[in-house]
Amino acid sequence: MRKVLTGNQAVAYGAMLSDVQVVAAYPITPQTTIIEELADMQAEGLADLDYIRVESEHSAMAACIGASMGGVRTFTATCGQGLFLMHEMLHYATGARTPVVLANVNRAIAAPWSIWSDQTDSVSQRETGWIQLYCEGNQEVLDTTIMAFKIAESLRLPAMVILDAFFLSHTSEPIEIPDIEAVRDFLPPYDPGDLWLDPDNPRTFGSLCMPDTYMEFRWQIQRDMERAKQVIDEVQDDFGRVFGRNYRQVEGYRSDDADVVMVVSGTVASTGRDAIDFLRARGEGVGMVKIKTLRPFPRQELVAALRGKKKVAVIDRNFSPGATGVWAQEIRSALYELPEDERPIIYGYIAGLGGRDISIKTIEEIYQKTREADQPDDVDIWIGVNYV
Amino acid sequence: MKYTDRQVHVPLCSVSTTSSLVNKTGTWKSAQPLFIDRVSPCNQQCPAGEDITGYMYLVGQGRYEEAWRLIMEENPFPAIMGRVCFHTCEERCNRTEHDDAVSIHMVERFIGDYGLANSLRITVPGPERKERVAIVGAGPAGLTAAYHLRKMGNGVSIFDSNQKPGGMMRYGIPSYRLPKEVLDGEISRLDEMGVEFKIAVKVGKDVTWDSLDNEFEAVFMGIGAWEETSLGIEGLNKKGIYNALEFLEDINLGKEPKIGKRIAVIGGGNSAIDCARVSRRLGAEATIVYRRSEAEMPAHTEEIEMAREEGVRFLFLASPKAIYGEETVAGVKLEKMALGEMDDSGRRRPVPTGETFDIDCDGMITAIGEATRVGDLPPFTSHRGGVVEADRMGQTTHLRFFAGGDIIDIPHTVTHAIGSGKRAAVAIDRFLRGIENDKDSPDQFTWGESGTINLAWLKGTSLFCRRNPSLEVVDYTDMNPFYFDCLPGVKTKRIPVDERLKGFQEVSEPFSEEEVISEARRCFNCGSCTECGNCCIFCPENSIKRDPDGYGYVADMDFCKGCGICVNECPRGAMTMKLME
Amino acid sequence: MYSLNQRFNNQDIPEDEFMASGNSACAGCAASLSMGLALKGLGKPTVLVIPACCFTIIPGAWPLTALDVPVFQAAFETTGSTLSGIKAAYRKRGMDDVCVVGWAGDGGTFDIGIQALSATAERNDDVVYVCYDNEAYMNTGIQRSGGTPMGAWTTTTPVKDPKSEPKKDIDEIMIAHRIPYLATATAAYPHDMIAKFKKARSIKGTRFIHLLSACPTGWRVPENLSIEVMRLAVLSNIFPLFEVENAEIFRQTVIPDEVIPVERYLRLQGRFRHLTDEAVKEYQKMVDDRFERLRKRFEITE
């Protein structure tokens, strides 16, 4: 079935099709239409879920952790400030090994107030132990939401589906909505196994750990995060086989023969495809790599995709004050393992913060700067900023 | 990616499944709780060595026969005791600091009467040992000694010069205080236990002391104090003048003494009160003349109160100097007295003022004290003015002979006599078994200020757990009074005065069963574990459990952290903290 | 059998034990005792949510636990919302009979957790929330909380500057949520406490039980007096024992035979040692005034 849906509706459909059992959510622009849609679905009987209208994002995540401990499939959505308020509980969900799925609509961080798109909220959660899946379009949003449950539950690690504010959340696209029975075959009901609050089995979850035991639990998170790379691939492959839409953690676009490769994520990839086509038509040896996962970070795939390239331009719609854009940091670190002669020069660009448009022109400008300079001017180059 | 080769046996998240019981927190403590069985003040002072807290506990649960048997372990006469004992236990009752003392004597009387009404019996262990013991005097001391010796398996013969056994209980106490059927009922049990009664046999006359000395392995003397102390003034041979012993004996034998209508009773003790109250029942006016003031009267307060109710008048600070009248007494000349310094008894001494006055009377009873008839004692007994020399257990200088009751240096009460009889029985039994009665031995098995023995304590068979007995007396401050509601005690009811004066009907009315239970339940059971459960419920470590093998609780020292809450919350002071080494 | 305790019939106390020996509470801790009694009243199936508080430590470090019911150790401020989440999950699984119980300290209730608690109560989620109130942040070393009473010394309100504000009235706050059941209780009155937990279990909706829980370490009382001091709190009307149904029916469940002066309660504790006689008098007035307000409501509804 095809429908015209906004990105937020796509999230809600994804959650509904995944037979999510408990939703705990708190409204925040531009996430609100996700939870409104879910409330309607529940009210209309389309979704058999228990909806907890919490008083904050912190409680939303706490309630999701509780529900997940109770042994059910659990979902919430937020953005920007809400995600920051959740921060403590994001860590908690990982430590408790609760496979909660969260849709985060990328929103810029206050102060000053801004409701527009920016990845600083989600990249700031790098260390929380959440799987982060960035989406380019509304179809990917819906499909990724379904896959996120499967990935999270098979790893017992929480997963975040990430979409850009307004560019996706409030933009409509025609979407193929999978058949719910097919989704159910793909994603069977949640089985918490042994790790849930079984009232007949008196165990204490989350016991204090002394220095001699704490690291073992953290190590297991890391072990499973590394395993996640393989699991994500398997789930995406399965999804492709069933639904005919294929997703990769690292996906090249006309990059095989390119000298300069632009690395992008989210909706920039969509603009990027047109920009690459435009530049190629002009005869430029440029290609693009789209990364879907910030965590776990797909080092090997990325190394394979960028090995031997002359220059790599990383476009970050986020930044870490005093350092660089987060994607650029990660890529620099990943490529360092290459021998010097195969190691590209990394150009880090900061663009599109607070919803500022990243147009074909912006990408062209970035390409030009990259092509022209033998070495980057700076560790990060801010694009389109009126310096003061 | 290689992390480590080490096998880590941990779950995915920190889920605890091992019981904390592996964590022996008992090592934290510096002091530990101890279950301790201490002596209640009532028990400690009981001259008869009864386990009052014990039978209160049983009565509270309606376990009357068990209560009766518990008393009978110590005292063969609960029905008598509940009536004639002056129940000093109630003065010492810790409950007095809370609301009212428990009416112990009324509960005991109920239990005694229950035993009589249900013909409860004591079965004697057999076979009897060959050692035979002679008891001289079938008063409370002698009967008690006989009872306990018999229970211990000894053959006992009891001699008494009177027509019936009972001694002072029969001949000295008026039946409005102790009905004769109660007395007979309780004494008859001794008969059934195989005590041989040799009645109307006067030792020293019908049988010689030497023959007893030869025929019996041991002899107990409990011949009592039957000689009235003389007033030491002229004219005591006039008609209408009695001494208290004669007067009360006549009454108890059913004779009507020839006494006038206005009687002066000289003295301030319980005998004086008895004589005055009997006089009132004979239709006479009675005035008690006492040389000190009311505060110094040795008579029991309740007795004084009842005498007043019955119209007995009191004349204090007056001492007889002369008796008026020709053949019959017509009046007494009294000297006014004043109170001086304290004497040896701790009471203020009467001091003559020289000032005199007269009272009219046509009858007079002297009741100023009784003493042993020295002539009735065996020649080989050492005594001082009739008070036989004996050690704390009653053994005299003639080692085969033991003494008890009013002839030794103890207060002249039935209860003290009973206590002395029991003490002597223990000493005699030990003597017969060849256990030396050295001077320290009583301390090892007596409790109480008068060296009273509680046999159950001695044998370790007390009702309450005796895992850790202590002779320490429990004070009100050792208890946790919160756990006891304030409940006023049941007051003893007495029959109306006009009913009383018609005859010799018993004055105190018995408690109803409900009243008895309610009184018994008011008992704090000071110092004894009644398995109330507080220690267990309030233990934050869950380390106190019911003793699976018996009575009470055990604290698991593997886990006890030594906080001491159990001790503080023990309502009755049956626990203590002990510092650890 | 009659009550050998005379005041309480301890034979009524359920024998079930859900709190094992070997726990890590300080000696004389009323909280560990309270937990045992509470679970006796609640029975099974019960699941506990415990946020950061002394009870993070008390059951024992991994892999040990003293608790014989399932427990989730939650983040400090999340008791209310975690309860709501677990309850929702059980509802989805058809396990509505499981009693989901939060067990939080005064810090986790009066202060950091009040937002989540308030929301849970406002939604009237079907959970039991227990605050064991030891009147300061004891686990971190006796720092002042909203539950700390006026005049008390804590490590953040030193004797030269003790807490000058009265204790936050959490009961009134919860009553204002018009929840179906609220009760105050203390382990010094175990029968009353167990009865309230039993009753709480039988009611649907948000139930709030406020336990006074003496901390010998933080209150500066000898370990053996932790029951005693809680008892004095009740007898002096500092901590009256009552229950409220639907914010309408008020009932005092333990009426002291004789109300004792608050001075006896205060003077037993080192944390109030610095109070002047004048301050104690003011204290008495404050306690009397609060109790009078409550008493009027007991009267109206009885």
Side-chain angles (χ1 to χ4, degrees):
Chain A
M1 186 177 51
R2 270 181 97 77
K3 268 195 169 183
V4 175
L5 296 180
T6 63
N8 277 357
Q9 284 173 312
V11 170
Y13 270 81
M16 181 266 280
L17 292 169
S18 303
D19 283 332
V20 66
Q21 290 162 287
V22 171
V23 170
Y26 184 77
I28 179 169
T29 304
Q31 155 264 32
T32 42
T33 51
I34 299 176
I35 64 167
E36 289 167 1
E37 189 74 31
L38 282 167
D40 280 344
M41 286 172 171
Q42 185 207 22
E44 298 295 328
L46 293 171
D48 179 22
L49 54 87
D50 207 292
Y51 200 127
I52 310 173
R53 282 120 182 131
V54 288
E55 87 301 340
S56 73
E57 287 86 356
H58 196 280
S59 283
M61 188 45 62
C64 284
I65 293 168
S68 188
M69 285 307 300
V72 299
R73 183 167 291 155
T74 311
F75 176 79
T76 187
T78 189
C79 62
Q81 307 298 125
L83 191 65
F84 285 103
L85 183 56
M86 266 184 197
H87 178 76
E88 180 199 15
M89 300 319 292
L90 296 178
H91 276 290
Y92 220 93
T94 305
R97 303 305 296 259
T98 47
V100 178
V101 171
L102 156 79
N104 183 60
V105 182
N106 276 142
R107 167 179 159 177
I109 183 74
W113 285 114
S114 166
I115 57 171
W116 292 276
S117 193
D118 182 328
Q119 293 175 335
T120 307
D121 57 354
S122 56
V123 299
S124 296
Q125 313 308 327
R126 257 194 316 184
E127 274 72 68
T128 59
W130 280 62
I131 292 163
Q132 292 198 0
L133 305 165
Y134 288 79
C135 298
E136 180 186 344
N138 290 355
Q139 184 71 57
E140 188 176 2
V141 167
L142 187 148
D143 294 346
T144 303
T145 305
I146 294 167
M147 288 189 287
F149 284 107
K150 190 155 177 158
I151 294 163
E153 288 167 12
S154 57
L155 292 162
R156 287 201 71 101
L157 285 171
M160 203 180 285
V161 178
I162 298 155
L163 58 152
D164 286 322
F166 300 106
F167 299 124
L168 290 185
S169 71
H170 288 68
T171 305
S172 297
E173 285 187 283
I175 297 286
E176 180 66 38
I177 297 175
D179 173 55
I180 193 158
E181 290 308 324
V183 176
R184 281 173 184 159
D185 283 347
F186 173 75
L187 177 69
Y190 175 47
D191 174 13
D194 192 32
L195 289 183
W196 70 292
L197 284 168
D198 177 356
D200 297 329
N201 192 357
R203 296 168 296 172
T204 297
F205 285 86
S207 288
L208 170 81
C209 284
M210 304 305 270
D212 58 343
T213 57
Y214 180 82
M215 278 182 81
E216 279 69 14
F217 294 109
R218 303 318 287 184
W219 174 76
Q220 292 188 85
I221 293 168
Q222 170 62 359
R223 179 197 61 199
D224 292 339
M225 258 305 185
E226 285 298 325
R227 197 159 64 84
K229 295 172 182 173
Q230 191 193 331
V231 169
I232 294 167
D233 278 348
E234 285 166 8
V235 170
Q236 291 184 139
D237 290 350
D238 280 356
F239 191 88
R241 272 193 295 277
V242 177
F243 300 103
R245 287 185 293 281
N246 293 292
Y247 299 97
R248 308 302 313 157
Q249 294 178 66
V250 174
E251 182 193 323
Y253 182 73
R254 302 179 81 169
S255 60
D256 289 352
D257 59 347
D259 293 330
V260 176
V261 175
M262 321 275 279
V263 181
V264 295
S265 58
T267 49
V268 181
S270 196
T271 315
R273 288 177 210 276
D274 287 348
I276 299 299
D277 290 348
F278 167 77
L279 291 169
R280 279 276 181 169
R282 228 169 60 183
E284 306 286 350
V286 63
M288 181 184 86
V289 162
K290 164 193 166 188
I291 315 184
K292 186 173 175 67
T293 45
L294 175 61
R295 282 292 178 272
F297 192 73
R299 290 172 88 84
Q300 281 152 324
E301 291 89 333
L302 203 73
V303 166
L306 301 179
R307 180 191 290 268
K309 304 294 177 196
K310 285 204 180 71
K311 293 176 177 176
V312 167
V314 183
I315 304 178
D316 268 297
R317 192 172 225 156
N318 67 76
F319 83 109
S320 174
T324 66
V326 167
W327 293 101
Q329 288 176 29
E330 298 283 346
I331 290 162
R332 277 197 185 96
S333 157
L335 296 189
Y336 193 76
E337 70 186 52
L338 285 172
E340 216 167 323
D341 57 336
E342 292 185 326
R343 194 189 298 154
I345 303 168
I346 312 288
Y347 293 72
Y349 297 95
I350 308 292
L353 300 184
R356 188 167 298 189
D357 198 13
I358 298 180
S359 62
I360 292 173
K361 226 178 143 39
T362 320
I363 295 170
E364 187 193 0
E365 183 191 341
I366 289 169
Y367 170 69
Q368 295 292 357
K369 280 184 187 285
T370 309
R371 200 192 59 179
E372 285 160 14
D374 290 340
Q375 288 295 324
D377 301 346
D378 206 340
V379 287
D380 55 347
I381 303 148
W382 288 55
I383 297 299
V385 177
N386 296 312
Y387 295 103
V388 288
Chain B
M1 189 175 291
K2 268 181 101 178
Y3 291 90
T4 172
D5 294 330
R6 189 158 60 100
Q7 285 291 306
V8 185
H9 299 284
V10 289
L12 203 55
C13 57
S14 85
V15 49
S16 287
T17 51
T18 308
S19 166
S20 59
L21 289 173
V22 300
N23 188 22
K24 306 289 185 210
T25 52
T27 54
W28 301 9
K29 64 179 163 293
S30 56
Q32 68 175 66
L34 211 59
F35 292 95
I36 186 168
D37 299 291
R38 290 190 270 201
V39 181
S40 61
C42 56
N43 283 355
Q44 189 247 0
Q45 70 74 50
C46 179
E50 290 186 3
D51 182 3
I52 297 166
T53 55
Y55 67 78
M56 289 292 158
Y57 170 77
L58 294 170
V59 173
Q61 295 170 69
R63 293 156 70 182
Y64 305 135
E65 179 166 345
E66 287 170 78
W68 184 82
R69 292 198 183 279
L70 190 71
I71 302 177
M72 292 296 286
E73 281 293 302
E74 311 299 334
N75 182 339
F77 306 124
I80 297 171
M81 201 76 314
R83 289 174 166 86
V84 304
C85 179
F86 292 120
H87 46 83
T88 42
C89 47
E90 295 178 25
E91 290 162 22
R92 292 284 299 276
C93 180
N94 275 334
R95 190 112 203 170
T96 51
E97 302 204 29
H98 199 67
D99 40 33
D100 297 323
V102 176
S103 194
I104 297 167
H105 71 292
M106 291 306 282
V107 176
E108 185 176 23
R109 172 173 156 182
F110 175 89
I111 289 306
D113 289 351
Y114 178 88
L116 289 173
N118 293 281
S119 308
L120 299 182
R121 293 284 173 267
I122 296 294
T123 44
V124 192
E128 228 173 271
R129 283 212 307 278
K130 69 176 181 4
E131 290 92 354
R132 292 177 64 239
V133 183
I135 308 282
V136 184
L143 291 170
T144 304
Y147 169 82
H148 285 297
L149 283 164
R150 193 59 208 82
K151 278 186 76 184
M152 292 167 189
N154 302 291
V156 179
S157 299
I158 186 159
F159 299 80
D160 196 278
S161 59
N162 283 312
Q163 297 302 310
K164 284 186 172 179
M168 282 293 184
M169 296 192 292
R170 182 177 299 280
Y171 299 106
I173 298 176
S175 50
Y176 61 82
R177 277 175 57 200
L178 175 60
K180 294 292 175 279
E181 56 277 16
V182 171
L183 181 66
D184 291 339
E186 296 228 294
I187 294 176
S188 73
R189 283 194 294 256
L190 270 75
D191 249 335
E192 290 157 18
M193 289 169 68
V195 172
E196 187 188 8
F197 277 89
K198 301 201 171 182
I199 292 302
V201 177
K202 188 169 172 74
V203 177
K205 194 174 124 201
D206 303 325
V207 188
T208 64
W209 288 106
D210 281 337
S211 68
L212 294 189
D213 198 5
N214 294 330
E215 280 175 41
F216 291 88
E217 304 282 323
V219 177
F220 174 79
M221 304 180 291
I223 60 171
W226 290 85
E227 183 142 303
E228 191 64 45
T229 308
S230 171
L231 203 50
I233 55 171
E234 293 296 311
L236 286 169
N237 54 355
K238 289 192 207 314
K239 276 188 190 161
I241 298 183
Y242 278 85
N243 74 48
L245 284 171
E246 289 166 4
F247 179 73
L248 293 172
E249 185 171 350
D250 277 3
I251 289 295
N252 281 312
L253 288 168
K255 296 180 195 165
E256 285 253 322
K258 288 198 175 50
I259 196 162
K261 286 289 160 199
R262 286 181 302 156
I263 317 291
V265 180
I266 313 299
N270 288 309
S271 293
I273 299 282
D274 283 343
C275 293
R277 293 179 68 193
V278 167
S279 303
R280 291 290 296 133
R281 282 163 175 73
L282 298 176
E285 287 174 14
T287 303
I288 285 179
V289 178
Y290 181 50
R291 57 190 182 141
R292 310 193 209 208
S293 76
E294 182 164 353
E296 287 80 29
M297 279 180 85
H300 196 256
T301 323
E302 275 180 40
E303 292 286 313
I304 298 169
E305 185 187 305
M306 286 189 280
R308 270 220 175 85
E309 284 169 7
E310 290 164 13
V312 172
R313 286 189 293 244
F314 292 84
L315 194 53
F316 294 114
L317 294 167
S319 180
K321 289 285 140 200
I323 296 167
Y324 298 116
E326 296 300 319
E327 278 190 21
T328 307
V329 59
V332 193
K333 177 184 184 178
L334 299 169
E335 181 175 8
K336 274 196 183 170
M337 309 295 276
L339 290 177
E341 298 298 300
M342 294 282 180
D343 67 10
D344 294 344
S345 70
R347 297 176 300 163
R348 291 182 71 185
R349 192 191 301 279
V351 183
T353 60
E355 196 182 329
T356 63
F357 65 104
D358 297 340
I359 57 165
D360 291 340
C361 65
D362 55 7
M364 179 172 135
I365 304 167
T366 62
I368 58 166
E370 309 84 29
T372 313
R373 282 184 188 134
V374 173
D376 289 348
L377 289 171
F380 41 75
T381 301
S382 149
H383 67 87
R384 258 183 224 141
V387 178
V388 171
E389 221 180 287
D391 71 9
R392 287 175 55 186
M393 296 299 286
Q395 193 167 27
T396 69
T397 47
H398 189 72
L399 295 182
R400 197 187 291 262
F401 274 56
F402 296 78
D406 290 353
I407 66 169
I408 61 170
D409 186 18
I410 56 172
H412 292 188
T413 75
V414 175
T415 319
H416 283 91
I418 286 173
S420 72
K422 177 160 67 174
R423 257 195 318 269
V426 171
I428 291 168
D429 190 61
R430 288 164 68 87
F431 174 76
L432 295 178
R433 290 164 190 268
I435 304 168
E436 203 182 331
N437 240 340
D438 68 60
K439 67 176 175 43
D440 293 330
S441 61
D443 297 330
Q444 295 160 19
F445 51 82
T446 58
W447 68 17
E449 50 206 14
S450 53
T452 317
I453 294 173
N454 178 278
L455 289 173
W457 181 279
L458 172 58
K459 290 187 284 189
T461 59
S462 292
L463 174 69
F464 295 116
C465 50
R466 294 300 178 208
R467 282 170 304 182
N468 188 20
S470 158
L471 289 172
E472 214 175 292
V473 178
V474 183
D475 189 68
Y476 185 66
T477 55
D478 298 328
M479 328 253 306
N480 193 326
F482 169 75
Y483 293 105
F484 305 100
D485 286 328
C486 282
L487 299 165
V490 180
K491 296 277 174 285
T492 309
K493 286 183 286 293
R494 297 167 187 153
I495 61 170
V497 171
D498 49 347
E499 286 295 314
R500 294 188 213 169
L501 297 183
K502 281 179 193 161
F504 284 80
Q505 201 187 327
E506 191 166 12
V507 170
S508 298
E509 291 189 72
F511 276 4
S512 69
E513 187 172 345
E514 293 71 42
E515 288 171 331
V516 162
I517 286 190
S518 134
E519 274 306 279
R521 289 182 182 182
R522 288 179 65 244
C523 174
F524 286 161
N525 310 106
C526 306
S528 295
C529 173
T530 60
E531 298 187 302
C532 79
N534 269 15
C535 53
C536 173
I537 286 162
F538 287 116
C539 175
E541 308 314 323
N542 204 7
S543 67
I544 298 183
K545 301 276 160 57
R546 258 190 185 280
D547 187 344
D549 303 324
Y551 193 91
Y553 300 87
V554 281
D556 189 340
M557 288 305 145
D558 277 354
F559 299 109
C560 168
K561 293 173 190 161
C563 69
I565 287 178
C566 50
V567 175
N568 195 62
E569 299 313 311
C570 176
R572 33 187 67 79
M575 292 186 81
T576 189
M577 286 306 278
K578 195 182 104 184
L579 278 175
M580 296 176 57
E581 283 148 25
Chain C
M1 281 290 267
Y2 71 100
S3 166
L4 296 169
N5 181 302
Q6 294 198 3
R7 185 172 289 276
F8 301 142
N9 188 352
N10 287 340
Q11 282 134 16
D12 293 346
I13 305 263
E15 286 187 9
D16 314 313
E17 284 165 8
F18 303 109
M19 175 87 188
S21 305
N23 66 64
S24 306
C26 305
C29 172
S32 61
L33 172 61
S34 300
M35 174 64 94
L37 293 173
L39 289 173
K40 280 173 189 279
L42 289 165
K44 283 185 173 181
T46 290
V47 170
L48 285 177
V49 171
I50 301 176
C53 60
C54 292
F55 249 90
T56 310
I57 311 295
I58 292 172
W62 184 82
L64 303 186
T65 182
L67 287 159
D68 191 32
V69 292
V71 177
F72 183 64
Q73 295 273 12
F76 207 168
E77 63 279 52
T78 66
T79 315
S81 35
T82 307
L83 287 171
S84 299
I86 293 173
K87 187 66 195 183
Y90 286 158
R91 205 158 39 225
K92 291 311 288 178
R93 295 180 69 117
M95 294 160 51
D96 222 16
D97 61 318
V98 180
C99 191
V100 184
V101 181
W103 184 270
D106 48 300
T109 303
F110 291 59
D111 295 351
I112 197 168
I114 195 167
Q115 174 178 325
L117 165 62
S118 171
T120 297
E122 181 270 327
R123 290 190 301 268
N124 199 21
D125 284 340
D126 187 24
V127 301
V128 177
Y129 190 109
V130 184
C131 171
Y132 69 101
D133 178 5
N134 50 29
E135 303 196 317
Y137 291 90
M138 295 310 183
N139 200 26
T140 43
I142 324 165
Q143 292 83 21
R144 169 212 197 273
S145 80
T148 302
M150 190 174 85
W153 159 90
T154 68
T155 53
T156 51
T157 49
V159 166
K160 283 187 178 165
D161 184 19
K163 194 186 178 205
S164 52
E165 310 79 19
K167 182 185 177 86
K168 188 189 281 190
D169 199 335
I170 194 75
D171 303 329
E172 292 294 352
I173 291 170
M174 295 315 295
I175 290 164
H177 285 75
R178 305 193 73 77
I179 51 175
Y181 187 68
L182 173 140
T184 62
T186 157
Y189 291 81
H191 299 73
D192 177 72
M193 176 168 162
I194 288 172
K196 283 167 174 168
F197 275 92
K198 275 189 181 158
K199 185 166 185 176
R201 177 155 200 141
S202 73
I203 292 171
K204 286 267 168 204
T206 304
R207 294 140 281 170
F208 182 82
I209 297 183
H210 181 192
L211 300 178
L212 183 69
S213 182
C215 170
T217 316
W219 292 13
R220 298 289 192 250
V221 289
E223 293 155 358
N224 62 331
L225 296 184
S226 55
I227 299 293
E228 179 91 28
V229 70
M230 295 194 292
R231 180 161 54 233
L232 295 184
V234 173
L235 295 177
S236 62
N237 281 339
I238 288 244
F239 193 81
L241 298 179
F242 60 93
E243 57 185 14
V244 182
E245 290 172 35
N246 300 309
E248 280 164 10
I249 302 166
F250 286 70
R251 189 181 301 114
Q252 191 176 14
T253 56
V254 171
I255 300 169
D257 296 342
E258 191 188 347
V259 175
I260 61 161
V262 295
E263 183 164 14
R264 266 185 69 191
Y265 171 75
L266 299 173
R267 292 292 183 220
L268 193 61
Q269 304 172 58
R271 62 175 173 157
F272 295 115
R273 188 183 295 133
H274 51 277
L275 293 188
T276 61
D277 289 348
E278 196 54 40
V280 169
K281 260 186 213 150
E282 278 173 40
Y283 220 104
Q284 181 73 54
K285 189 173 177 322
M286 181 179 77
V287 170
D288 289 347
D289 289 350
R290 174 172 185 258
F291 184 72
E292 186 56 23
R293 289 197 298 277
L294 270 172
R295 198 187 56 76
K296 281 182 186 148
R297 291 198 277 183
F298 298 147
E299 258 176 17
I300 290 164
T301 55
E302 293 239 329

Coordinates of all heavy atoms in Angstrom, one line a residue, chain A residues 16 34 281 307:
Chain A
M16 N 3.8 1.3 14.8 CA 2.5 0.6 14.8 C 2.6 -0.8 14.1 O 2.2 -1.8 14.7 CB 1.4 1.4 14.1 CG 0.1 0.8 14.0 SD -0.2 -0.1 12.5 CE -0.6 1.3 11.4
I34 N 4.4 12.7 15.8 CA 4.6 11.3 15.9 C 3.7 10.7 17.0 O 3.0 9.8 16.8 CB 6.1 10.9 16.3 CG1 7.1 11.4 15.2 CG2 6.3 9.5 16.6 CD1 8.5 11.2 15.6
A281 N 28.4 15.9 -14.0 CA 28.0 16.4 -15.4 C 29.0 17.4 -15.8 O 29.2 17.6 -17.0 CB 26.6 16.9 -15.3
R307 N 39.5 4.0 1.1 CA 40.9 3.6 0.9 C 41.4 4.2 -0.5 O 40.7 4.0 -1.5 CB 41.0 2.1 0.9 CG 42.4 1.6 0.7 CD 42.4 0.1 0.5 NE 42.0 -0.6 1.7 CZ 42.9 -1.1 2.6 NH1 44.2 -0.9 2.4 NH2 42.5 -1.7 3.6

